[in-house]
Amino acid sequence: MKVLVIGGGAREHALCRALSLDPDVSALHCAPGNAGIADVAELHTVDALDGGAVAALARSLEADLVVVGPEAPLVAGVADAVRAAGVPCFGPSREAARLEGSKAFAKEVMAAANVPTARSYVCTTPGEVDEALDAFGAPYVVKDDGLAAGKGVVVTADLEQAREHALACGRVVIEEYLDGPEVSLFAITDGETVLPLQPAQDFKRALDDDEGPNTGGMGAYSPLPWADPKLVDEVMESVLQPTVDELRRRGTPFSGLLYAGLAITSRGVRVIEFNARFGDPETQVVLARLKTPLAGVLLHAARGTLADEPPLNWHGDSAVTVVIASHNYPATPRTGDPIGGLDEVAAQDAPHAYVLHAGTRREGDAIVSAGGRVLSVTATGEDLTEARDRAYAAVDRIRLDGSHHRRDIAAKAASHA
């Protein structure tokens, strides 16, 4: 099987790594990729938002499967263009990707499918914003209706900050605050059959103890020793299957990766948001634990034959990812700094720990930072304590001037286990 992955972050590196380990994959391509992905896939230049260009590249490579990583190409309809060119594509249509592209649309689908979620108002005027903020009270949850690469949500006790964010967005969803821990649960679906993956938890705040600004994610771990063993079955029954069924009923079947961001509240499981693609950095830990070869599962989903796929197999170990971010991330990150220590990790920590590249590029013989989140250091172990120890041992070998990372990823969960 020849596979083309679209994207260039750590999520795509995790996907490419998993696909490169699949014996059925004979050729692996990635566009545009990054300096780390270049070690496992052949890189190509393409405008990832141009469906025609992506479809043309897929056909020129004689790809048997295209996997679209990021949300923006999906919302732009890239998967539709690839499928129209006759190439199987893992990723939802433009219409189905509205589940992530519009928070208001997602709320409408959840209401129709009786999926439990926070009460909310869609606001377009300052008056509506003030009414909604007043109705819910603090802490305020304000979400940009459109795509914002994980940075469109403000959760704050400061009324002025909440109002300022709402007015800057134009169309916003303001909703009640959900208490309790958050869980990410992915499911692979062909629009009818739903195969859940293992749950993970990510860390959104920049600093230890969940301090500092919201980011795209500073680390993740899986499994969740504190979670109810029946959680996946419950979410399948109350959230994932009803949502997939409702979208099919509407004539816009969702085929690809459905990501449910959940809050385990005192009143039960509630959906915080849906995404239409693998989450970053949760993908890094979930795929580290997946035993079933990945390519065949994604191809079955793309072809609509997921019912033929047996239940997924999982390694019994744990996985932890720690994100190394560049100086001043998430504000205005500095780029162009050389990265050292990558060879040392490969020589001393493999196979239990490895580095997935997020924002990197090659300059001559050097690899330099090229984004806010630069590297995802991922490790596995018999339990979360061993996985944490291995991840942080590898993190400590990395040299990137001005970089920062959290030291408490999975610490509470490891002590719980």
Side-chain angles (χ1 to χ4, degrees):
M1 195 191 306
K2 296 177 184 172
V3 183
L4 168 62
V5 176
I6 301 301
R11 161 187 48 221
E12 287 76 33
H13 194 174
L15 286 163
C16 285
R17 180 181 182 273
L19 290 164
S20 73
L21 297 172
D22 186 331
D24 287 339
V25 175
S26 54
L28 183 58
H29 303 270
C30 187
N34 61 39
I37 294 173
D39 291 339
V40 293
E42 186 180 336
L43 302 191
H44 303 269
T45 304
V46 77
D47 178 355
L49 298 178
D50 183 337
V54 172
L57 175 62
R59 291 192 69 166
S60 72
L61 295 172
E62 299 180 337
D64 301 298
L65 174 68
V66 173
V67 179
V68 182
E71 59 273 25
L74 293 168
V75 172
V78 167
D80 305 79
V82 172
R83 278 192 278 270
V87 181
C89 184
F90 182 80
S93 66
R94 181 204 304 260
E95 280 298 307
R98 286 179 66 209
L99 205 58
E100 175 167 7
S102 167
K103 304 286 188 297
F105 175 72
K107 289 288 187 184
E108 186 189 306
V109 170
M110 283 188 267
N114 289 318
V115 168
T117 186
R119 292 179 300 120
S120 63
Y121 295 107
V122 179
C123 306
T124 53
T125 68
E128 289 172 349
V129 165
D130 289 339
E131 278 182 41
L133 292 172
D134 186 52
F136 288 130
Y140 305 101
V141 182
V142 183
K143 299 180 175 182
D144 191 330
D145 180 49
L147 281 187
K151 301 181 190 70
V153 179
V154 164
V155 181
T156 178
D158 184 329
L159 177 59
E160 271 315 300
Q161 188 189 354
R163 191 169 188 274
E164 190 180 321
H165 181 64
L167 296 179
C169 292
R171 181 172 152 104
V172 293
V173 174
I174 295 175
E175 62 184 39
E176 67 176 326
Y177 176 76
L178 296 174
D179 63 337
E182 293 185 13
V183 173
S184 301
L185 185 60
F186 303 161
I188 292 169
T189 178
D190 59 3
E192 197 159 341
T193 300
V194 181
L195 272 187
L197 305 187
Q198 289 288 304
Q201 186 176 57
D202 77 332
F203 295 76
K204 284 279 186 271
R205 298 282 180 178
L207 308 175
D208 285 5
D209 300 319
D210 291 327
E211 300 285 333
N214 251 348
T215 71
M218 294 298 292
Y221 69 94
S222 178
L224 313 181
W226 49 267
D228 186 327
K230 298 191 290 292
L231 176 66
V232 173
D233 292 340
E234 182 189 333
V235 175
M236 265 292 288
E237 192 178 318
S238 66
V239 175
L240 298 170
Q241 193 71 57
T243 301
V244 168
D245 291 346
E246 172 61 20
L247 285 163
R248 190 173 69 253
R249 189 189 66 75
R250 288 167 174 248
T252 54
F254 188 104
S255 165
L257 195 289
L258 179 58
Y259 164 142
L262 309 164
I264 314 300
T265 76
S266 51
R267 292 169 297 149
V269 174
R270 297 286 184 274
V271 175
I272 301 168
E273 64 175 358
F274 284 124
N275 291 329
R277 38 73 197 183
F278 281 101
D280 185 342
E282 301 99 319
T283 301
Q284 290 86 302
V285 291
V286 172
L287 291 185
R289 299 185 55 227
L290 180 64
K291 203 170 185 177
T292 302
L294 183 62
V297 184
L298 302 186
L299 186 63
H300 272 303
R303 285 180 170 164
T305 54
L306 203 54
D308 299 341
E309 182 69 27
L312 299 174
N313 283 325
W314 297 91
H315 295 291
D317 55 8
S318 299
V320 171
T321 287
V322 180
V323 170
I324 298 178
S326 55
H327 175 72
N328 208 32
Y329 175 78
T332 312
R334 190 172 80 203
T335 60
D337 288 307
I339 301 166
L342 296 172
D343 291 342
E344 291 160 44
V345 174
Q348 298 181 53
D349 300 288
H352 300 298
Y354 48 88
V355 179
L356 297 167
H357 292 230
T360 66
R361 68 172 183 270
R362 186 170 280 284
E363 280 189 2
D365 291 337
I367 292 176
V368 302
S369 60
R373 291 185 295 171
V374 182
L375 303 169
S376 281
V377 180
T378 301
T380 55
E382 280 192 19
D383 54 26
L384 285 174
T385 299
E386 186 174 48
R388 283 190 85 247
D389 290 346
R390 287 171 169 171
Y392 280 109
V395 165
D396 290 341
R397 299 190 208 281
I398 302 291
R399 299 180 296 281
L400 174 60
D401 187 47
S403 68
H404 63 97
H405 59 272
R406 287 181 57 160
R407 297 295 313 185
D408 64 343
I409 303 299
K412 280 183 188 159
S415 64
H416 183 283

